[in-house]
């Protein structure tokens, strides 16, 4: 990937989209490019924090494991997203694992090089703070879901969030979640069990609140699911 392609990719991200060609050139020069195969770990929880990654193509699973090896999925990231969000302002180690779940093409920026850039270009710091602010709001919303809603409602809210983040709008009401998640994946996202998720999905299908297409993708109506919770 040449520097022009890297620049075009980086300018798709909110972090860099308002930068002029002159402002972004130093970032393009320090950015690197790599392709990762399905199943590859980009980094492991506890590895030294060295790079921040930007997804050109593919899907990345961010997850943690406890001392018993139990997996907790933090996020599923796709084209146009970056990780780890706190990377540019955090010392130490990666707080989670990052695994490729769809073959991925990534741009990455070494943190030490980016820190040197920020010292000379403080206006970029403001953009990064806004990105981090959006991430904090998302995490707060997820915490509220766990506190204020039972497991049935949490699963519905998870489906709504996945439709917004990974879905394709089919018409005015229906969305198709293109990324396929197993019941175990869904359970790990909210700290539930695979059996509970399976029973809930079966119940939602019986109520015609969700469906699946021939490829196994979820088809759902966000407004109908919201009514199931709030009415």
């Amino acid at each position: 990937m040449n520097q022009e392609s890297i620049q075009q990719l980086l300018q798709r991200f909110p972090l860099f989209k308002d930068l002029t060609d002159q402002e972004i050139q130093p970032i393009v020069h320090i950015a690197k490019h790599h392709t990762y195969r399905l199943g590859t770990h980009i980094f492991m929880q506890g590895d030294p924090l060295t790079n921040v990654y930007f997804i050109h193509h593919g899907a990345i699973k961010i997850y943690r494991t406890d001392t018993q090896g139990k997996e907790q999925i933090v996020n599923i990231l796709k084209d146009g997203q970056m990780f780890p969000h706190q990377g540019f302002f955090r010392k130490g180690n990666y707080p989670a694992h990052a695994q490729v779940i769809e073959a991925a093409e990534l741009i990455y920026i070494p943190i030490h090089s980016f820190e040197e850039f920020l010292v000379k270009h403080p206006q970029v710091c403001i953009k990064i703070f806004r990105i981090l602010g959006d991430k904090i709001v998302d995490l707060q919303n997820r915490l509220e879901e766990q506190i204020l809603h039972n497991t049935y409602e949490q699963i519905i809210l998870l489906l709504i969030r996945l439709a917004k983040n990974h879905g394709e709008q089919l018409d005015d009401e229906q969305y198709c979640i293109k990324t396929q998640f197993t019941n175990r994946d869904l359970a790990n996202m909210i700290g539930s069990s695979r059996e509970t998720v399976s029973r809930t999905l079966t119940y939602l299908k019986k109520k015609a609140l969700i469906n699946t297409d021939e490829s196994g993708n979820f088809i759902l109506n966000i407004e109908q699911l919201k009514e199931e919770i709030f009415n």
Side-chain angles (χ1 to χ4, degrees):
M1 182 177 286
N2 59 37
Q3 289 195 344
E4 183 178 353
S5 298
I6 292 176
Q7 177 176 333
Q8 291 175 352
L9 170 62
L10 290 178
Q11 287 181 318
R12 288 167 41 196
F13 290 84
L15 188 63
F16 303 124
K17 69 182 181 69
D18 293 331
L19 298 185
T20 66
D21 289 344
Q22 184 177 0
E23 289 172 331
I24 202 171
Q25 272 305 306
I27 302 175
V28 173
H29 287 309
I30 63 175
K32 304 179 186 299
H33 165 261
H34 194 75
T35 301
Y36 296 84
R37 293 180 296 178
L38 174 68
T40 303
H41 275 87
I42 300 166
F43 52 76
M44 303 292 289
Q45 182 176 330
D47 284 350
L49 183 61
T50 55
N51 302 312
V52 173
Y53 297 84
F54 302 83
I55 305 173
H56 182 25
H57 295 301
I60 309 297
K61 177 173 71 173
I62 307 297
Y63 71 100
R64 296 190 181 100
T65 49
D66 60 21
T67 54
Q68 284 76 43
K70 184 178 179 181
E71 180 180 300
Q72 172 72 54
I73 296 178
V74 177
N75 214 340
I76 302 293
L77 304 175
K78 300 204 72 176
D79 302 4
Q81 294 182 284
M82 61 176 282
F83 65 97
H85 291 83
Q86 73 274 45
F88 288 132
F89 295 99
R90 187 176 184 274
K91 299 294 184 181
N93 304 321
Y94 288 108
H97 308 285
Q99 184 180 26
V100 178
I101 58 174
E102 291 178 13
E105 187 176 3
L106 306 180
I107 301 296
Y108 65 94
I109 297 176
I111 291 174
H112 73 277
S113 299
F114 194 71
E115 287 176 345
E116 293 176 359
F117 166 78
L118 289 179
V119 170
K120 299 176 182 178
H121 303 83
Q123 73 275 13
V124 178
C125 292
I126 298 174
K127 301 179 187 295
I128 296 178
F129 289 147
R130 288 173 182 157
I131 298 296
L132 293 177
D134 292 340
K135 183 64 176 175
I136 291 171
V137 170
D138 178 61
L139 293 174
Q140 286 176 331
N141 290 337
R142 295 194 194 190
L143 179 59
E144 288 178 2
E145 288 177 9
Q146 292 184 326
I147 294 173
L148 301 176
H149 297 279
N150 59 38
T151 303
Y152 176 70
E153 294 169 340
Q154 287 182 47
I155 293 172
I156 291 177
L157 289 167
L158 174 62
L159 291 173
I160 292 172
R161 185 165 64 246
L162 292 176
K164 290 179 177 179
N165 293 338
H166 303 283
E168 175 184 321
Q169 189 165 1
L170 303 179
D171 53 38
D172 290 341
E173 298 182 346
Q174 295 206 334
Y175 286 77
C176 174
I177 301 177
K178 288 293 188 178
T179 301
Q180 293 194 12
F181 301 97
T182 66
N183 289 350
R184 173 64 66 189
D185 290 336
L186 297 175
N188 288 344
M189 290 181 195
I190 60 172
S192 183
S193 68
R194 180 182 59 81
E195 294 77 14
T196 298
V197 169
S198 179
R199 287 195 301 269
T200 301
L201 294 178
T202 299
Y203 179 72
L204 291 173
K205 288 177 181 178
K206 287 181 179 179
K207 294 193 69 175
L209 291 172
I210 65 170
N211 204 342
T212 52
D213 62 16
E214 65 235 8
S215 300
N217 299 318
F218 286 117
I219 307 295
L220 55 87
N221 183 310
I222 289 179
E223 294 307 316
Q224 287 181 350
L225 288 174
K226 287 181 179 178
E227 289 176 5
E228 178 71 4
I229 298 176
F230 300 112
N231 291 343

